[in-house]
């Protein structure tokens, strides 16, 4: 869940072949993948989905928001970054100016097809959705009520990788969870695996709607200077959970 991985070197993972780009985009469409449209600072403008490809005009069709002020913010931007995932591997690309097409019902955004995209086929970008049977929390130090004081809170983890985590923003902490904030001493206890401790950098913050359309905030965060031993702990945990998932699907557990 990194901020603008789109701004970071990723030549090895760059896809420029038009047919391969369309193939990956079609997979995103078929999966109804949730896509984050982001400003350059990593802030989320809109969570959307790709509805289709207009081959005759070389354009992507994207879902709009029910909130017109959000749609106007999208239209006012000269360009946005788009990030989503296929089978937990991140896909990201740049978008030029978006236009609103009201001739369709409901209206859609139109934008030129990307000329290249990044498909991060690397283990540190494999994101494990937090399993329901393991309540995973990040233990963070937040500013206290008085100057120079802190309070520790536990915030639920949405997904996890050796590169970072996505967490739910604790209620009343929106002012703390801003892009660029560093939590210097984050603790993460992994069941049957061990304790991970490392600084955590907030890369972007977004809003989504949970049950009963209740708005919820999440933060995409990146580990900073994590020792290899800690990365190995996370990788071991991910591998164990995935093995157990496969075993359950095969009726072996």
């Amino acid at each position: 869940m990194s901020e603008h991985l789109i701004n970071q070197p990723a030549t090895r993972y760059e896809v420029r072949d038009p047919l391969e780009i369309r193939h990956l985009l079609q997979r995103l469409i078929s999966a109804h993948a949730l896509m984050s449209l982001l400003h350059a600072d990593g802030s989320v403008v809109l969570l959307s989905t790709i509805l289709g490809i207009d081959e005759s005009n070389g354009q992507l069709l994207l879902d709009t928001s029910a909130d017109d002020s959000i749609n106007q913010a999208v239209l006012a931007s000269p360009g946005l970054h788009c990030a989503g995932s296929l089978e937990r591997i991140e896909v990201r690309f740049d978008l030029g100016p978006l236009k609103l097409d009201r001739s369709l019902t409901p209206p859609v955004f139109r934008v030129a097809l990307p000329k290249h995209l990044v498909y991060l086929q690397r283990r540190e970008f494999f994101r494990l959705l937090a399993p329901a049977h393991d309540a995973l929390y990040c233990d963070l130090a937040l500013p206290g009520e008085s100057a120079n004081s802190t309070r520790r809170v536990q915030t639920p983890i949405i997904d996890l990788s050796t590169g970072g985590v996505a967490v739910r923003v604790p209620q009343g902490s929106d002012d703390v969870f801003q892009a660029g904030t560093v939590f210097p001493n984050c603790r993460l206890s992994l069941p049957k695996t061990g304790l991970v401790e490392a600084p955590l950098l907030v890369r972007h913050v977004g809003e989504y709607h949970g049950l009963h359309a209740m708005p919820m905030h999440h933060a995409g965060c990146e580990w900073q200077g994590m020792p290899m031993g800690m990365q190995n702990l996370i990788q071991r945990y991910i591998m164990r959970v995935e093995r157990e998932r496969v075993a359950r699907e095969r009726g072996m557990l």
Side-chain angles (χ1 to χ4, degrees):
M1 295 286 297
S2 24
E3 166 231 4
H4 290 316
L5 287 173
I6 199 96
N7 287 333
Q8 301 174 10
T11 306
R12 279 180 58 192
Y13 311 101
E14 196 168 70
V15 178
R16 289 186 172 273
D17 180 76
L19 291 178
E20 192 171 354
I21 289 172
R22 280 167 170 75
H23 174 68
L24 288 168
L25 292 173
Q26 287 290 357
R27 288 179 60 193
L28 288 168
I29 294 167
S30 298
H32 305 288
L34 194 63
M35 308 299 293
S36 296
L37 302 187
L38 306 108
H39 283 310
D41 63 1
S43 59
V44 176
V45 186
L46 172 67
L47 295 179
S48 182
T49 54
I50 303 175
L51 301 174
I53 298 175
D54 181 347
E55 290 289 358
S56 61
N57 293 304
Q59 294 176 326
L60 281 181
L61 307 181
L62 290 97
D63 197 16
T64 56
S65 172
D67 187 334
D68 192 56
S69 65
I70 293 177
N71 292 333
Q72 293 306 315
V74 170
L75 295 173
S77 177
L80 295 168
H81 300 306
C82 189
S85 64
L86 279 171
E87 298 175 353
R88 305 180 198 175
I89 303 297
E90 189 159 2
V91 180
R92 50 184 171 82
F93 46 89
D94 285 331
L95 294 176
L98 283 80
K99 296 182 178 179
L100 187 61
D101 183 350
R102 297 186 183 275
S103 68
L104 299 177
T105 304
V108 300
F109 286 122
R110 287 183 174 271
V111 64
L113 287 166
K115 296 186 182 300
H116 59 89
L117 54 77
V118 173
Y119 184 42
L120 292 167
Q121 302 179 72
R122 208 163 55 174
R123 77 172 192 175
E124 59 263 42
F125 296 108
F126 179 89
R127 298 186 296 178
L128 175 75
L129 291 175
H133 56 78
D134 285 344
L136 297 182
Y137 294 88
C138 266
D139 184 284
L140 305 170
L142 301 185
E145 295 182 359
S146 59
N148 301 320
S149 67
T150 59
R151 58 187 173 94
R152 298 205 71 90
V153 300
Q154 289 191 330
T155 180
I157 290 176
I158 299 170
D159 63 47
L160 168 71
S161 77
T162 56
V165 294
V167 300
R168 288 181 183 156
V169 175
Q171 194 168 20
S173 301
D174 293 27
D175 58 331
V176 178
F177 280 81
Q178 299 290 330
T181 299
V182 176
F183 297 106
N185 184 20
C186 171
R187 301 171 190 160
L188 168 59
S189 180
L190 298 173
K192 302 180 185 179
T193 308
L195 178 66
V196 171
E197 294 183 276
L200 198 61
L201 169 66
V202 178
R203 285 298 193 177
H204 63 80
V205 180
E207 181 179 282
Y208 64 99
H209 291 270
L211 294 175
H212 312 299
M214 292 293 290
M216 305 176 72
H217 289 83
H218 73 276
C221 306
E222 183 180 288
W223 301 114
Q224 297 291 290
M226 175 177 279
M228 184 59 67
M230 297 290 181
Q231 293 183 34
N232 290 339
L233 281 178
I234 294 176
Q235 189 62 28
R236 286 210 302 271
Y237 175 76
I238 290 174
M239 291 174 66
R240 180 178 66 79
V241 171
E242 283 297 293
R243 283 197 300 268
E244 291 176 355
R245 179 185 63 80
V246 171
R248 281 194 297 271
E249 289 177 353
R250 294 176 178 175
M252 299 169 63
L253 282 181

